[in-house]
Amino acid sequence: PRRAAVALAVGVGWGLFGFWLYGHLKQELMPDADRGVVLVWTEAPEGSTISYMDRYQREAEKLVMAVPEIRRAFSVVALGIGAPGIVNQGIIFAELVDRSERDRTQQQIVSSLGPELSAIPGITTRPLNPNPLRGFGGSPVEVVVQGPDLDELARRAAEIEHQADAT
């Protein structure tokens, strides 16, 4: 009985320690990386016309371009990736100046854009950092094969692809 109580107490202690540790650890597998790019997803109410979306998209563009750390931006409404685009959705791709030329990180710039963009009454906006593990519309896992010999790279890439298909 005494051993069981000690074992139970140790188990509960380890469980509590695990919960405490989980709460104090970073919750991501990979830290945010400053890639010098900010994305802003925009969406108008369902049933909006392309001219309505274009009008509010342009307002979002002006706010994005007013950020001093943004070098240039590219904006699209109804972007169709592999299918026709949805008229009431858009995206802004903003390239930041080089890291050495700015005082704020990419994450700080994204955070500062949120309140400004949310003040636009006609659309919903979501500024975000691109996921470093996932390309735009790509697979959640990417393998990069690098080296000086193109024939060897092609052979290894084919081998990796074959192994991936087999699993």
Side-chain angles (χ1 to χ4, degrees):
R2 180 172 163 90
R3 283 188 178 172
V6 169
L8 180 63
V10 169
V12 169
W14 274 111
L16 291 173
F17 175 70
F19 280 116
W20 176 85
L21 189 61
Y22 179 76
H24 288 81
L25 292 176
K26 282 193 159 198
Q27 300 298 310
E28 297 181 50
L29 294 174
M30 187 169 193
D32 288 331
D34 191 326
R35 298 172 153 277
V37 176
V38 171
L39 301 178
V40 179
W41 291 99
T42 57
E43 187 171 0
E46 193 68 37
S48 297
T49 64
I50 193 130
S51 61
Y52 176 95
M53 185 63 195
D54 180 59
R55 183 172 103 213
Y56 288 104
Q57 184 82 358
R58 288 178 191 267
E59 284 188 39
E61 289 171 20
K62 286 178 191 171
L63 288 174
V64 168
M65 287 307 298
V67 174
E69 294 93 346
I70 292 182
R71 175 177 289 144
R72 60 182 158 223
F74 176 74
S75 178
V76 179
V77 172
L79 175 66
I81 300 176
I86 299 173
V87 172
N88 69 324
Q89 293 180 348
I91 188 169
I92 301 171
F93 302 88
E95 178 188 356
L96 303 177
V97 297
D98 190 74
R99 180 73 179 106
S100 63
E101 298 175 32
R102 54 188 154 97
D103 295 325
R104 298 189 298 171
T105 66
Q106 175 181 318
Q107 293 78 16
Q108 291 169 325
I109 294 167
V110 167
S111 295
S112 72
L113 276 170
E116 292 182 33
L117 290 168
S118 66
I120 300 173
I123 58 174
T124 302
T125 59
R126 289 182 301 282
L128 53 97
N129 294 311
N131 184 334
L133 289 178
R134 185 176 202 161
F136 185 68
S139 169
V141 176
E142 290 184 20
V143 176
V144 177
V145 182
Q146 294 178 319
D149 185 348
L150 292 179
D151 292 330
E152 179 69 12
L153 288 174
R155 187 186 67 73
R156 295 230 179 162
E159 183 179 309
I160 291 168
E161 186 177 14
H162 175 73
Q163 289 177 352
D165 287 341
T167 58

